[in-house]
Amino acid sequence: MSRPILEEKNIHPAIREVIANQYANILQEVAAAIAEHAVVVVGMAQNPAPKRARKVLTEAGIAHHYLEYGSYFNNWRRRNVLKMWCGWPTFPMVFVKGQLIGGADDLQRLIASGELKTLLG
């Protein structure tokens, strides 16, 4: 699978560094969590979907790490960097063993089918 991403040659050299460093700290934080924990849920306050994902993981007895970035009222720019980084448009973003598996509905399907346990091996 590939998704369209603007090639670096099509970005003016004067702004490449700005793009490369835009909220790099949030990407580093998420990447570090993904490297350290088998299951990571990235969400935001006031959104019921991240809460649902965490609940189904807890009910299934699966340990997970949760990162929360703002709410509907703030930090949208920081969350937008995450969306651009992985290409997933909504929250939560659920990572299993470093792989983005989707959101809460995708997580529920993987748990119901037994595939999540296989991924966690």
Side-chain angles (χ1 to χ4, degrees):
M1 177 208 89
S2 64
R3 61 186 172 94
I5 297 175
L6 188 62
E7 292 183 35
E8 189 169 345
K9 70 179 182 177
N10 293 329
I11 298 172
H12 192 277
I15 65 166
R16 287 180 186 161
E17 187 173 337
V18 172
I19 292 171
N21 295 321
Q22 188 74 26
Y23 297 107
N25 61 332
I26 192 173
L27 295 179
Q28 292 164 353
E29 184 176 32
V30 172
I34 291 168
E36 185 177 342
H37 303 280
V39 179
V40 175
V41 178
V42 180
M44 58 183 276
Q46 300 170 323
N47 184 329
K51 290 178 182 133
R52 190 170 73 245
R54 293 172 67 201
K55 181 179 178 187
V56 298
L57 285 166
T58 299
E59 289 172 351
I62 299 169
H64 60 281
H65 183 73
Y66 179 62
L67 297 169
E68 184 173 276
Y69 295 104
S71 69
Y72 288 109
F73 301 111
N74 60 30
N75 289 326
W76 68 269
R77 286 182 179 95
R78 291 176 52 141
R79 289 191 307 276
N80 198 43
V81 168
L82 290 170
K83 291 177 180 185
M84 290 187 294
W85 175 61
C86 66
W88 189 251
T90 61
F91 289 96
M93 296 171 178
V94 181
F95 296 87
V96 176
K97 296 269 183 137
Q99 182 178 35
L100 175 66
I101 59 133
D105 293 339
D106 306 289
L107 174 64
Q108 286 179 298
R109 279 192 293 277
L110 289 178
I111 289 172
S113 72
E115 187 177 347
L116 185 63
K117 288 193 180 203
T118 302
L119 289 174
L120 289 170

